[in-house]
Amino acid sequence: NSEEEENIRSYNLQNLKIEHQQFCNVHFENGVVSGNFSIVSLTKDDEDLRLLFFDTLDLILKKISVPIKSNALDKLLDQLVQLFTFLKKKPIKTASGLWAELYLIYQSKDKYKSVKYWHKNPDKLYDFSLENNHIEIKSTLSDRRKHFFSIYQAYPNGEPEVLIVSVLLNRKEDGVSVIDLKNKIKSLLGDEVQLIKKLDRTFYDTLGDSWKESSKEAFDIKYAKENMAFFNLRDIPKLDAEQKDIRGISEISFRSDLSYAEKINNSEYKN
């Protein structure tokens, strides 16, 4: 109806244009169909953008049933709009940091649960969260396990169980790139459209406007596997808890050398 048509949104963004109620003649082998259509256009000729555009549209089309109400179409297309908006924002973390998180998902026994609980915690203190259990991934290109922690990561409210996963990384030209690792996980998620959408959304939200360069950074997956270690948050070197509540001081962080902490047996967590 006309009210629904008014509520559906058109967009003219950088690299993406969405228009509705556009009269078109659509030609098929057996004839022509005329009518009002929604037009979704990629406005930049770029191979990487083109792959992202069609991969995302493919997921959207799997959720469309004809006829579709305008508000339902608007909601589905918002996923594409959100993704292209991410490509203009500042990165949340480095390619190496994202690669380490994706690697943990890739080598986990249950990829579905790993993606589901990835960045689930609203305050984003930790990378993976399920109720009172959390996992924080730390990566470094150094040969020493020195990682930065915020004071709030070191002393969370309540008494949660927090596992620290430390991964030593080594850049490798013919290694596995960040986007390759994401696509490997994507292929293992089967028809879980919601999880695939979350994987893509988190990936591009994390890399932001550095996505083209960062997604191609590659690392040695064998080296990462051999140099992954697990620690209990309680055991790592950290500032005193009193530092958390110093009046007038905020955003406190510190670098912790985990070589001074006792490792947890890797076999307990390899899956």
Side-chain angles (χ1 to χ4, degrees):
N1 59 41
S2 59
E3 185 178 343
E4 278 191 351
E5 290 170 6
E6 288 176 7
N7 289 335
I8 194 167
R9 295 165 293 180
S10 294
Y11 295 91
N12 190 3
L13 306 175
Q14 182 179 348
N15 306 323
L16 179 68
K17 189 173 184 179
I18 299 176
E19 303 168 280
H20 300 287
Q21 296 298 316
Q22 301 297 304
F23 184 81
C24 301
N25 295 314
V26 182
H27 293 260
F28 295 94
E29 288 184 0
N30 57 349
V32 178
V33 175
S34 299
N36 290 331
F37 294 86
S38 293
I39 303 175
V40 183
S41 310
L42 180 68
T43 57
K44 184 175 182 180
D45 185 14
D46 179 279
E47 183 180 356
D48 294 322
L49 274 175
R50 190 159 55 246
L51 287 171
L52 173 60
F53 177 77
F54 284 112
D55 280 351
T56 308
L57 272 183
D58 183 54
L59 291 175
I60 291 171
L61 290 172
K62 286 178 180 177
K63 301 288 288 184
I64 288 179
S65 56
V66 179
I68 185 171
K69 290 187 176 181
S70 296
N71 58 348
L73 179 61
D74 187 57
K75 187 176 180 180
L76 286 171
L77 289 176
D78 189 57
Q79 299 162 17
L80 185 64
V81 171
Q82 187 181 58
L83 207 57
F84 272 70
T85 302
F86 288 155
L87 306 185
K88 299 187 295 180
K89 62 188 284 293
K90 290 183 179 180
I92 294 173
K93 62 177 60 177
T94 62
S96 58
L98 178 59
W99 193 97
E101 292 178 20
L102 291 170
Y103 176 68
L104 187 73
I105 295 172
Y106 179 66
Q107 62 83 50
S108 68
K109 187 175 181 179
D110 192 330
K111 274 75 171 175
Y112 303 98
K113 282 188 177 179
S114 296
V115 174
K116 182 178 180 179
Y117 297 114
W118 185 33
H119 291 291
K120 186 175 178 66
N121 199 355
D123 60 16
K124 296 186 178 180
L125 271 183
Y126 306 111
D127 298 315
F128 298 85
S129 297
L130 172 57
E131 296 176 351
N132 209 38
N133 300 285
H134 310 280
I135 299 175
E136 175 66 11
I137 316 299
K138 298 294 184 183
S139 64
T140 178
L141 291 163
S142 168
D143 59 357
R144 294 290 299 274
R145 298 186 188 279
K146 294 181 177 180
H147 304 295
F148 283 99
F149 293 82
S150 75
I151 195 72
Y152 294 103
Q153 284 181 321
Y155 295 102
N157 293 326
E159 297 182 356
E161 287 296 322
V162 182
L163 179 71
I164 306 299
V165 181
S166 169
V167 189
L168 304 186
L169 298 180
N170 187 29
R171 282 196 173 91
K172 188 179 182 183
E173 194 170 325
D174 61 346
V176 178
S177 72
V178 187
I179 198 161
D180 286 342
L181 198 48
K182 180 197 68 111
N183 289 336
K184 285 177 183 290
I185 296 167
K186 197 171 181 176
S187 68
L188 296 171
L189 292 176
D191 295 326
E192 293 290 335
V193 174
Q194 290 302 117
L195 292 180
I196 292 171
K197 286 195 299 187
K198 181 182 180 181
L199 177 68
D200 281 337
R201 186 173 65 248
T202 307
F203 181 88
Y204 291 104
D205 184 29
T206 301
L207 294 182
D209 61 10
S210 73
W211 71 279
K212 284 197 69 164
E213 300 77 21
S214 296
S215 64
K216 294 172 185 175
E217 288 191 37
F219 302 88
D220 188 335
I221 199 165
K222 183 181 178 184
Y223 183 84
K225 182 178 181 179
E226 293 170 348
N227 290 279
M228 176 181 280
F230 302 86
F231 302 86
N232 192 304
L233 177 66
R234 291 190 292 267
D235 299 332
I236 70 167
K238 46 185 168 300
L239 296 174
D240 293 335
E242 290 77 15
Q243 305 293 320
K244 184 178 177 181
D245 299 312
I246 300 176
R247 190 182 222 178
I249 304 294
S250 61
E251 299 183 29
I252 300 170
S253 63
F254 59 91
R255 196 178 189 187
S256 178
D257 188 342
L258 303 193
S259 63
Y260 291 97
E262 183 178 352
K263 293 180 184 179
I264 297 174
N265 189 340
N266 288 26
S267 62
E268 295 179 33
Y269 293 96
K270 65 181 179 181
N271 292 326

